[in-house]
Amino acid sequence: MFVFERRDIVLDIQAVFIDRDGTLGGSDTVIYPGDFELFPGVQDSINLLKANHLLVFSFTNQPGIAIGEATVDQFDYELKSFGFNKVYICPHRHDEGCICRKPSVGMLKKAAEENALDLSRCAVIGDRWTDLLAADDAGCLKILVKTGSGQEACDKYINKQYFGRWGQVHPDFIAEDLNEAISWILREG
């Protein structure tokens, strides 16, 4: 368990939530299980989190499930093979109005209930602003990676192109990639 300061609060990190597409590997578009490849070094970084007794969860929007492009079981199997303790998937299309689709906190709240987590003691790593919105609403540490859609999200943030609720979110750390994000979590601990 790692302890570091954020906004004058000492945090004991219990778990790390990691987005899939563009964060773990792949690109800024969905690559379905069987064709998805991790970015270099990511497997070692996931293993390092687990070796330091942190829970590692995937949380991902996968609307292709709703239209039959893949199944929840295929994503679950793939992500667990990378070492995730549990996988949280929103299988709904953008227009279905579910409570689990990021930027909603549904997946994070479900994970908190199932694993007795204090979300203020958890970190979220993602490449999209919706990942950071969900993290912010749940009270998690927010880390943006520049892979996938992350560089575009970072540029919009730096240039103050997010407005309303989106403009109120500020990353706790911006990393070049997932490996740097995980190194930062462990180094700050």
Side-chain angles (χ1 to χ4, degrees), residues 66-129:
I67 58 173
E69 296 290 331
T71 66
V72 169
D73 288 343
Q74 288 171 315
F75 280 101
D76 187 68
Y77 178 80
E78 172 198 71
L79 290 162
K80 284 182 178 169
S81 76
F82 300 148
F84 285 94
N85 295 99
K86 286 191 179 178
V87 175
Y88 295 91
I89 299 171
C90 171
H92 305 104
R93 292 187 325 264
H94 303 273
D95 60 354
E96 289 188 62
C98 67
I99 61 167
C100 55
R101 183 173 187 76
K102 294 181 279 184
S104 171
V105 298
M107 288 185 278
L108 296 172
K109 285 186 175 181
K110 182 177 180 181
E113 290 171 15
E114 290 181 359
N115 301 284
L117 299 174
D118 174 352
L119 289 173
S120 70
R121 295 173 56 200
C122 296
V124 168
I125 305 171
D127 70 319
R128 294 183 184 265
W129 212 249

Side-chain angles (χ1 to χ4, degrees), residues 167-184:
Q168 296 170 354
V169 174
H170 305 285
D172 294 295
F173 184 67
I174 298 174
E176 290 299 318
D177 59 19
L178 182 64
N179 300 319
E180 184 181 30
I182 290 171
S183 291
W184 183 80

Side-chain angles (χ1 to χ4, degrees), residues 14-163:
Q14 294 176 315
V16 178
F17 290 87
I18 303 172
D19 173 58
R20 181 183 181 267
D21 301 294
T23 302
L24 281 177
S27 68
D28 62 346
T29 60
V30 175
I31 298 172
Y32 291 106
D35 295 322
F36 185 83
E37 293 183 19
L38 295 174
F39 290 135
V42 164
Q43 186 66 67
D44 291 336
S45 291
I46 291 169
N47 293 343
L48 190 57
L49 287 173
K50 293 182 79 173
N52 282 283
H53 311 290
L54 294 171
L55 294 171
V56 184
F57 301 123
S58 175
F59 83 129
T60 180
N61 292 341
Q62 294 298 335
I65 293 170
I67 58 173
E69 296 290 331
T71 66
V72 169
D73 288 343
Q74 288 171 315
F75 280 101
D76 187 68
Y77 178 80
E78 172 198 71
L79 290 162
K80 284 182 178 169
S81 76
F82 300 148
F84 285 94
N85 295 99
K86 286 191 179 178
V87 175
Y88 295 91
I89 299 171
C90 171
H92 305 104
R93 292 187 325 264
H94 303 273
D95 60 354
E96 289 188 62
C98 67
I99 61 167
C100 55
R101 183 173 187 76
K102 294 181 279 184
S104 171
V105 298
M107 288 185 278
L108 296 172
K109 285 186 175 181
K110 182 177 180 181
E113 290 171 15
E114 290 181 359
N115 301 284
L117 299 174
D118 174 352
L119 289 173
S120 70
R121 295 173 56 200
C122 296
V124 168
I125 305 171
D127 70 319
R128 294 183 184 265
W129 212 249
T130 52
D131 299 317
L132 299 190
L133 277 164
D136 194 64
D137 285 343
C140 299
L141 182 76
K142 303 168 295 298
I143 303 172
L144 178 69
V145 293
K146 292 184 180 180
T147 53
S149 296
Q151 184 63 59
E152 179 183 352
C154 183
D155 292 344
K156 285 183 174 184
Y157 171 69
I158 290 168
N159 294 316
K160 299 183 184 338
Q161 293 176 315
Y162 290 117
F163 301 98

